[in-house]
Amino acid sequence: MDGEDGSGPKKRTFRKFTFRGVDLEDLFDLSPEQLMDLVHARARRKFSRGLTRKPLALIKKLRKAKKEAAGTHEKPAVVKTHLRNMIIVPEMIGSMIGVYNGKHFIQVEVKPEMLGHYLGEFSVSYKPVKHGRPGIGATHSSRFIPLK
């Protein structure tokens, strides 16, 4: 457990994040065309057809929230959105986004591993089924259960 020179515990080395072979710091400097080459085909098609006003407005609000939180050691303010089909780009990393699931805004902190995914993937819009016991009429054998 001690370091090689016997000075104390060994420092942990964390794995550096890369997205398809590109370092995180380099991702911020990429042009939209270079980023398009890194993402999957559906995202490439969406970017090639152009971004409309709504996604650009969301990115602008995220920039503003990040800028206001830059001086403090706090997370940026939550920016609420209905844009579940927005693809996560490097500029969004570190932001707090409230993604609407049809009923509530689910808070999502954007991490580097989420790049290229949709915002809607992180805000489940349905309640997962919890299976209980089968009811009457579920199977043929349940017909012969005596009613008390």
Side-chain angles (χ1 to χ4, degrees), residues 21-92:
V22 181
D23 287 338
L24 184 59
E25 294 81 32
D26 300 335
L27 282 172
F28 292 110
D29 302 328
L30 292 179
S31 68
E33 289 77 27
Q34 292 169 322
L35 181 65
M36 252 175 56
D37 295 335
L38 293 177
V39 292
H40 52 93
R42 172 52 50 187
R44 260 197 316 275
R45 177 175 165 80
K46 186 170 187 166
F47 287 137
S48 68
R49 293 174 65 83
L51 288 175
T52 56
R53 227 156 78 231
K54 287 182 179 180
L56 291 175
L58 173 65
I59 289 176
K60 190 176 173 183
K61 285 180 186 176
L62 291 172
R63 269 189 213 131
K64 184 180 174 193
K66 260 190 182 179
K67 190 174 162 186
E68 289 172 359
T72 63
H73 291 291
E74 297 173 7
K75 292 180 182 173
V78 176
V79 177
K80 292 182 176 181
T81 183
H82 282 236
L83 297 175
R84 296 174 57 84
N85 64 347
M86 178 73 186
I87 294 167
I88 295 173
V89 293
E91 198 171 357
M92 296 175 162

